[in-house]
Amino acid sequence: MYLNNHSFFSLRYGTLSIEELLEQASNMSVESLALTDINTTMGIPDFVKAASSKGIKPVAGCEFRNGDQLLYIGLARNREGLKELNDWLTEHNLQKKEFPAEAPRFNQVYVIYPFSKKHQKLHDHEFIGVRPDEVNQLLTSPYLSASHRLVILQPVSFTNQSGWHLHKSLRAIDHNTLISKLSSSQSAPASEIMLPPARLYERFSRYPEIIRNTQKVLDDCNITIDFSSFKNKKVFTHTVSTDKQLLEKLAFEGMIYRYGTNNREARERVRHELNIIFKLNFSSYFLIAWDIIRYSMSRDIYHVGRGSGANSIVAYCLRITDVDPIKLNLYFERFLNPKRTSPPDFDIDYSWRDRDEIQQYIFKRYGKEHTALLGATSTFKGRSIYRELGKVFGLPKEEIDRLIRDPGNRQNQNKITEAIEKLAQQMADFPNARSIHAGGILISEEPITYYSALDLPPKGLPTTQWDMYVAEDLRFDKLDILSQRGIGHIKETVEIVRENQGKQVDVHQVNQFFQDKEVKKRLQTAETNGCFYIESPAMRGLLKKLQCNDYLTLVAASSIIRPGVAKSGMMRQYIHRFHHPNGFQYLHPIMKEQLEGTYGVMVYQEDVIKVAHHFAGLDLAEADVLRRAMSGKYRSRTEFQRIEDTFFSNCRAKGYPDALSLEVWRQIESFAGYSFSKAHSASYAVESFQSLFLKTYFPLEFMVAVINNFGGFYRPWVYFNEAQRCGAHIELPCVNHSRNETRITGRTIYTGFVFVQNLEQQTISRLVCEREKNGPFQSLADFIERVTIGKEQLTLLIRLGAFRFTQKTKAALLWEGHLLLNKPIPKVKSPSMFQVQERNYQLPKLEQSPLRDAYDEIELLEFPISISLFDLLQTRFRGEVFAKNMLQHVGRKVRMLGRLVTIKYVRTVKKEMMHFGTFVDVYGEFFDSVHFPPSLKQYPFRGDGIYLLLGKVVEEFGYPSLEVEKMAKMPFQTAS
């Protein structure tokens, strides 16, 4: 009898999960149930899958609304009907248009209009829904004579009164209004709960035909979803057999390119992988990935293939990835194996400037009906719940802040905050908004709308309404087309080197980079600022502690830097064992057998699988589920609990002491949630070596590329500082040399106009276009004559010294610009036929000081260029110890002066905060500091600036840092 039920996928409306909705129905012996979420079918796959376990017949549907106005409900008779509903939703979502008041003439969909809707004539597939509280109105309704078109409509949105209050809170959040101001039309009535079928029959006892009509509609709706077969595009060419032939041909051609003609191991592994690929019908998936790479390479678009796909030698031979799986002994079955329960995927990274073109190619190549971006769902979490509820309950910001930051405060104890606390617990992890996956793309055999309606988020490409977990359940294999700033650094460096030095660089010669002595030296000394993944303070510290100077050690470092490994204490253990390989004992002989290459430490996701399989006796499928569950990529808590129980029962059966089993489990928990697959770490390490090579031999061009891609761990001034360290001469923006982006000529770097605060893009475009068309500007008057510009924009350029080639002071230029701009300006600028004779103005001598210039630069660029920030200090003291000689002062208390670069916050076991700071000294060299809670309480950080630090120099594995006792932010001189 239930044709209209909302789950919490009716965003900011429904209050019931799919499981809760079905549990209620099961408890009331409801035999058939329709899921009709508002303007979405995102819950249908989960609903259909879960309903069978409850013995309930599922019906797929959708409720269509414009805002708060209910228009009609659609119920799919079969999967073709579900596609019709999805197509109807998709059409309106993609075109951003409202739904019409009348439903279309569906072929396989029943349409139910609300009782309040007046219809002259209903089609065979259309009905009027009558709520229990509307039954008495039938006596005077014209519909009474057409009772064969009437059905029972008992909407379900919550369970009880408490659920209704939660619903109203969600509606108030959705409307951004106070609960007290929420109107009845903006929320559901309290009667939208599930009643026992007997009570519904009783309410409609005088109208048995309505009961029969309702049952007939439910009986005629039959939805099934295939969760067993893969849904991706089945063939790349025309047939499965030609796909196999093409993939085999490409794989062996690529093998010769990668390994030569006489590598027996490579040939055997290629054959082994192809057999599995063919057996699992994954030929087309590999060929589609190859096709994307082929296109990007034809367009000279650089890519990095990473993730578990890098375990595959076939992927290596197809040039999808540059990671050699034989060299690293990578485990193909981690990517694809007959027992694996989850589909694999390729992660392919492109520059943030290029990814859109690749995505457009994929959609055009495989068709918009069959291609979609993968959706995602953001949920209500943590502080955001309290902020949202606090607003709709009318709490002022100060009280909301106190409730979040100091929940135990006695002022928080009142009826309103108690209600908020209760609602917050109910709302936790509710879906809040549909969004977009970081890079997933689906390419399906059938039109995507057989499975999902499509949204059109700001990205501008059709996107599924459900997320990666549903895609996995449906057996879709996604391609991850990701964007990354590090790739932009590499690609642009190559282009800048070609322009500035006339040299051609091949960044794919990674095997040469691994052996290059200068590159390895830079890695060992952690001279890695700007280099992908290895420039953060923590990573630089790890590289120095490991004295890392080779590819394989970097692969390991890329994984052990992850939070779980560091937090568990095993990162420190790894470093110790790395330097003392005979100075420790393995937990168990099996741990030595499986983890000897990483000194008994689980470094990679593959290690979790190996330990679970060989130590605890889980089969490979169970071990992989364990790994995925702990990394947050598996949703079945029941299955996870079964595997956890199996782990410990197997350990007991093998006679392991409980303490040993618990310690192994603790380490698995530490690593599985954060560690990379070895192939993923290897991919990152390849890109790191490419960055290192470019920084080693083309440091200035590399730093310009980093600056222009606005990417990296640090703010722009840090990279300008690094360019200076590498020997560059940094120039302020100049109207005759600068572009929108930063550029280099020889060893001179001209700061890009893009960094100038409040300088409009239109002004920059006019300036650069005019200069490139008609040559450099000869004077300020010449500039104003040729470029249309207002006083405010001109003032920005003058204050920043962009007209310094005139040899005039800023003050003189400001006076001159003011006078010139007061002249009438022609509407259309065109080059003058004759040279304009300038008038010479005689002005009194106007002062200009380096200090004032520096403050102008700080205001307009956020950092000075003409002088160092240290030159602004009131003191001449620059520190008694500097970064380069800290190791000579270990154990001593010293004073150091440093410009704050970044701060890392860590919560101690006692829930106190301790900070790790990173600074640069007057020579531009980095050093790190440690601030324990007592020191921080008395001497906190006070924002950007230069600090005087008093503390003891300590070292760990040869890496120094300063344990700070006292700290003071240093005052600057004032501009007179």
Side-chain angles (χ1 to χ4, degrees):
M1 293 297 106
Y2 286 95
L3 306 179
N4 185 203
N5 301 279
H6 304 118
S7 75
F8 58 20
F9 290 120
S10 291
L11 302 179
R12 303 186 181 191
Y13 191 102
T15 65
L16 301 168
S17 68
I18 298 291
E19 292 76 15
E20 289 170 332
L21 186 62
L22 288 167
E23 185 68 27
Q24 277 192 49
S26 177
N27 291 340
M28 293 185 184
S29 300
V30 173
E31 296 178 353
S32 185
L33 193 74
L35 182 66
T36 55
D37 281 315
I38 298 169
N39 294 347
T40 182
T41 59
M42 62 189 295
I44 295 298
D46 283 346
F47 175 67
V48 172
K49 190 174 187 180
S52 60
S53 66
K54 294 289 185 182
I56 295 172
K57 176 186 172 182
V59 174
C62 181
E63 182 179 299
F64 295 90
R65 292 189 177 215
N66 286 329
D68 294 318
Q69 183 188 7
L70 169 61
L71 301 174
Y72 35 82
I73 298 153
L75 299 177
R77 296 177 61 193
N78 45 44
R79 74 187 298 261
E80 294 296 330
L82 178 58
K83 182 178 185 298
E84 286 187 274
L85 291 174
N86 285 336
D87 284 335
W88 183 241
L89 276 168
T90 298
E91 177 187 339
H92 291 79
N93 290 342
L94 299 191
Q95 296 180 27
K96 304 286 187 184
K97 64 181 183 180
E98 290 193 336
F99 296 100
E102 304 289 331
R105 295 290 295 273
F106 291 120
N107 295 314
Q108 299 295 330
V109 173
Y110 288 119
V111 175
I112 302 168
Y113 291 97
F115 186 70
S116 58
K117 186 93 171 175
K118 303 303 178 185
H119 281 271
Q120 298 298 319
K121 183 180 179 182
L122 294 171
H123 300 289
D124 289 343
H125 68 291
E126 295 179 327
F127 295 85
I128 297 294
V130 183
R131 296 186 183 220
D133 56 10
E134 294 170 331
V135 170
N136 292 336
Q137 297 177 41
L138 284 172
L139 293 171
T140 58
S141 170
Y143 291 132
L144 188 59
S145 61
S147 57
H148 63 290
R149 310 306 314 158
L150 303 180
V151 292
I152 299 172
L153 193 65
Q154 172 57 32
V156 176
S157 300
F158 28 81
T159 303
N160 48 32
Q161 194 75 8
S162 175
W164 183 50
H165 290 309
L166 175 58
H167 162 79
K168 291 182 71 175
S169 299
L170 291 168
R171 298 308 298 137
I173 290 171
D174 190 53
H175 283 279
N176 194 25
T177 188
L178 296 173
I179 291 178
S180 58
K181 291 187 176 181
L182 196 69
S183 68
S184 59
S185 64
Q186 293 174 322
S187 64
S191 59
E192 289 199 0
I193 61 174
M194 190 172 289
L195 302 171
R199 285 183 59 183
L200 278 181
Y201 295 149
E202 182 183 344
R203 297 293 297 273
F204 287 87
S205 59
R206 287 181 293 169
Y207 304 99
E209 188 173 10
I210 297 178
I211 296 174
R212 288 195 298 271
N213 295 340
T214 309
Q215 192 61 54
K216 184 178 178 181
V217 168
L218 286 170
D219 290 345
D220 194 45
C221 292
N222 295 282
I223 186 68
T224 57
I225 295 177
D226 173 16
F227 292 99
S228 60
S229 63
F230 292 110
K231 305 300 186 298
N232 286 58
K233 184 174 173 60
K234 287 185 168 56
V235 294
F236 176 77
T237 55
H238 299 292
T239 65
V240 172
S241 61
T242 54
D243 274 6
K244 289 180 179 180
Q245 292 171 13
L246 177 59
L247 182 59
E248 186 172 38
K249 174 178 178 292
L250 293 171
F252 281 109
E253 286 177 353
M255 184 202 70
I256 294 170
Y257 168 78
R258 293 291 197 183
Y259 297 102
T261 56
N262 298 314
N263 192 313
R264 182 178 177 182
E265 183 181 2
R267 182 173 295 278
E268 288 178 354
R269 179 155 174 171
V270 168
R271 176 56 61 197
H272 167 70
E273 287 192 15
L274 286 174
N275 288 337
I276 295 177
I277 292 167
F278 295 159
K279 182 177 180 180
L280 295 177
N281 296 318
F282 270 100
S283 298
S284 62
Y285 183 75
F286 274 79
L287 289 170
I288 288 169
W290 165 78
D291 175 58
I292 294 167
I293 299 305
R294 176 180 61 169
Y295 171 79
S296 60
M297 292 179 70
S298 74
R299 299 277 296 130
D300 198 25
I301 295 174
Y302 177 62
H303 77 280
V304 169
R306 59 175 177 84
S308 60
N311 287 276
S312 166
I313 194 173
V314 172
Y316 182 56
C317 292
L318 296 180
R319 300 185 70 174
I320 295 169
T321 173
D322 280 327
V323 175
D324 183 346
I326 292 180
K327 180 175 183 176
L328 289 171
N329 191 27
L330 294 179
Y331 178 48
F332 175 66
E333 282 71 16
R334 162 66 179 83
F335 173 63
L336 194 64
N337 68 74
K339 288 189 175 183
R340 181 166 175 171
T341 58
S342 59
D345 52 43
F346 280 120
D347 295 349
I348 306 173
D349 288 343
Y350 290 95
S351 164
W352 61 285
R353 300 180 192 271
D354 296 325
R355 183 173 73 155
D356 287 352
E357 179 181 341
I358 301 301
Q359 288 179 330
Q360 292 288 349
Y361 169 76
I362 294 170
F363 272 81
K364 289 176 182 176
R365 175 76 167 81
Y366 298 100
K368 288 194 174 183
E369 283 192 0
H370 297 266
T371 313
L373 300 183
L374 183 58
T377 306
S378 62
T379 59
F380 285 106
K381 284 187 178 296
R383 295 181 176 185
S384 65
I385 302 178
Y386 289 92
R387 291 212 177 275
E388 294 284 6
L389 288 172
K391 284 191 292 183
V392 300
F393 272 88
L395 294 185
K397 183 179 183 300
E398 298 76 27
E399 292 187 28
I400 297 174
D401 290 342
R402 186 176 65 229
L403 182 62
I404 291 170
R405 295 171 185 167
D406 189 12
N409 193 305
R410 299 177 73 178
Q411 290 180 281
N412 290 332
Q413 297 173 10
N414 55 64
K415 289 184 178 180
I416 292 178
T417 54
E418 286 175 8
I420 289 174
E421 185 65 41
K422 182 179 178 182
L423 289 164
Q425 292 175 8
Q426 291 176 288
M427 277 173 59
D429 296 322
F430 267 33
N432 181 26
R434 293 195 298 273
S435 58
I436 186 170
H437 184 272
I441 294 183
L442 305 182
I443 303 171
S444 70
E445 177 68 19
E446 293 185 298
I448 290 279
T449 50
Y450 271 109
Y451 308 99
S452 173
L454 303 176
D455 290 330
L456 191 67
K459 188 69 185 172
L461 292 171
T463 303
T464 63
Q465 291 194 328
W466 35 247
D467 59 20
M468 61 179 285
Y469 301 107
V470 177
E472 183 177 309
D473 284 346
L474 290 169
R475 308 302 297 276
F476 271 108
D477 314 313
K478 63 182 170 65
L479 281 162
D480 275 336
I481 306 298
L482 301 157
S483 69
Q484 187 204 105
R485 301 276 174 172
I487 292 177
H489 302 167
I490 294 169
K491 179 185 176 185
E492 192 163 332
T493 301
V494 173
E495 295 169 354
I496 295 172
V497 168
R498 188 188 306 129
E499 179 183 334
N500 193 45
Q501 296 194 33
K503 294 181 179 179
Q504 193 71 35
V505 181
D506 184 359
V507 294
H508 295 284
Q509 300 298 316
V510 290
N511 286 322
Q512 295 178 23
F513 304 163
F514 297 156
Q515 306 306 321
D516 190 291
K517 291 182 179 179
E518 291 301 315
V519 174
K520 293 168 74 173
K521 179 181 177 182
R522 185 172 290 271
L523 179 63
Q524 187 171 6
T525 56
E527 283 288 339
T528 55
N529 289 341
C531 297
F532 172 74
Y533 201 70
I534 54 174
E535 64 166 334
S536 71
M539 193 64 181
R540 287 189 306 102
L542 177 59
L543 294 175
K544 283 192 174 182
K545 290 171 186 177
L546 287 172
Q547 290 292 292
C548 176
N549 68 349
D550 65 88
Y551 173 59
L552 294 179
T553 305
L554 182 57
V555 173
S558 297
S559 191
I560 64 173
I561 194 67
R562 303 284 288 170
V565 191
K567 189 176 180 181
S568 70
M570 294 306 292
M571 182 172 79
R572 197 177 189 285
Q573 277 292 312
Y574 182 89
I575 300 168
H576 174 78
R577 295 176 182 188
F578 179 85
H579 292 295
H580 306 91
N582 299 315
F584 67 95
Q585 287 188 332
Y586 289 91
L587 283 173
H588 189 273
I590 290 177
M591 301 294 276
K592 180 178 182 181
E593 177 187 312
Q594 296 301 321
L595 301 176
E596 190 168 15
T598 54
Y599 314 104
V601 175
M602 280 177 275
V603 169
Y604 310 112
Q605 290 178 354
E606 288 88 343
D607 295 337
V608 173
I609 296 173
K610 287 192 292 184
V611 168
H613 178 58
H614 294 284
F615 176 80
L618 299 181
D619 67 34
L620 286 174
E622 290 173 326
D624 194 46
V625 169
L626 175 64
R627 189 268 312 170
R628 289 174 57 77
M630 287 186 168
S631 61
K633 296 181 178 179
Y634 195 79
R635 294 189 297 169
S636 174
R637 180 63 205 176
T638 304
E639 177 68 4
F640 176 69
Q641 187 61 54
R642 184 190 70 77
I643 292 172
E644 182 178 351
D645 293 342
T646 302
F647 177 93
F648 283 105
S649 65
N650 286 3
C651 287
R652 282 191 292 271
K654 288 174 178 284
Y656 300 149
D658 288 346
L660 173 62
S661 303
L662 286 168
E663 174 58 19
V664 173
W665 181 260
R666 184 192 72 81
Q667 291 190 20
I668 287 175
E669 282 187 307
S670 299
F671 294 105
Y674 297 97
S675 60
F676 285 153
S677 73
K678 189 174 184 181
H680 197 107
S681 292
S683 302
Y684 272 22
V686 165
E687 191 174 340
S688 297
F689 259 94
Q690 290 170 319
S691 294
L692 274 168
F693 171 79
L694 293 171
K695 186 173 183 185
T696 300
Y697 291 102
F698 309 99
L700 304 189
E701 289 84 357
F702 178 76
M703 294 316 304
V704 170
V706 172
I707 290 167
N708 283 342
N709 281 272
F710 311 102
F713 190 85
Y714 306 106
R715 289 172 293 172
W717 73 263
V718 179
Y719 298 115
F720 280 98
N721 173 77
E722 186 69 11
Q724 283 182 311
R725 286 185 68 236
C726 295
H729 172 67
I730 309 294
E731 286 278 358
L732 287 160
C734 172
V735 294
N736 275 340
H737 293 95
S738 294
R739 301 171 182 161
N740 180 63
E741 69 279 5
T742 298
R743 65 179 296 220
I744 183 171
T745 303
R747 303 188 71 83
T748 300
I749 294 175
Y750 287 94
T751 306
F753 286 122
V754 71
F755 289 105
V756 183
Q757 304 294 309
N758 300 316
L759 187 63
E760 296 170 359
Q761 189 61 49
Q762 190 177 46
T763 299
I764 299 171
S765 298
R766 287 173 181 164
L767 183 165
V768 175
C769 182
E770 170 58 30
R771 186 186 70 214
E772 290 181 350
K773 183 178 179 182
N774 295 307
F777 302 105
Q778 303 302 312
S779 63
L780 179 63
D782 181 40
F783 178 87
I784 292 173
E785 181 68 28
R786 291 162 58 184
V787 178
T788 301
I789 193 170
K791 289 180 184 178
E792 290 183 1
Q793 294 288 287
L794 183 65
T795 299
L796 293 176
L797 292 171
I798 292 172
R799 287 182 60 206
L800 203 51
F803 293 94
R804 57 191 178 279
F805 70 91
T806 64
Q807 304 296 311
K808 296 180 180 181
T809 65
K810 292 181 184 179
L813 289 167
L814 287 169
W815 274 105
E816 183 181 347
H818 180 78
L819 292 170
L820 289 168
L821 286 174
N822 279 338
K823 296 191 304 181
I825 300 174
K827 292 182 179 179
V828 179
K829 291 282 187 182
S830 58
S832 299
M833 188 174 295
F834 304 102
Q835 184 69 34
V836 177
Q837 185 66 37
E838 296 181 32
R839 293 174 62 185
N840 291 318
Y841 299 95
Q842 294 296 321
L843 293 171
K845 187 175 180 180
L846 301 169
E847 291 185 6
Q848 181 171 331
S849 71
L851 193 61
R852 284 185 178 178
D853 289 345
Y855 277 111
D856 279 343
E857 292 160 26
I858 291 171
E859 180 185 343
L860 298 176
L861 294 176
E862 298 185 344
F863 53 92
I865 285 178
S866 59
I867 62 175
S868 164
L869 196 69
F870 286 87
D871 294 331
L872 299 182
L873 291 174
Q874 292 180 9
T875 179
R876 293 186 178 181
F877 180 74
R878 296 295 181 260
E880 60 188 21
V881 169
F882 304 100
K884 63 184 177 182
N885 55 11
M886 286 179 72
L887 281 174
Q888 299 168 21
H889 300 272
V890 172
R892 284 185 52 198
K893 190 179 291 188
V894 301
R895 291 187 302 160
M896 298 184 71
L897 202 66
R899 181 179 180 183
L900 181 61
V901 175
T902 186
I903 307 169
K904 180 183 179 181
Y905 308 89
V906 176
R907 193 174 293 276
T908 67
V909 177
K910 296 180 180 179
K911 305 299 182 184
E912 296 178 306
M913 295 300 292
M914 66 180 293
H915 295 180
F916 295 88
T918 298
F919 297 83
V920 292
D921 64 17
V922 68
Y923 298 107
E925 303 293 328
F926 278 60
F927 68 92
D928 291 336
S929 62
V930 183
H931 304 254
F932 292 102
S935 169
L936 270 175
K937 194 169 185 178
Q938 279 190 283
Y939 306 102
F941 285 94
R942 301 188 183 279
D944 294 340
I946 295 175
Y947 289 79
L948 177 62
L949 308 164
L950 173 67
K952 183 173 70 172
V953 178
V954 296
E955 65 88 23
E956 185 179 40
F957 300 108
Y959 184 73
S961 59
L962 188 71
E963 280 188 2
V964 175
E965 294 180 11
K966 296 181 180 180
M967 176 174 68
K969 188 174 179 181
M970 303 298 284
F972 290 137
Q973 302 175 54
T974 55
S976 56

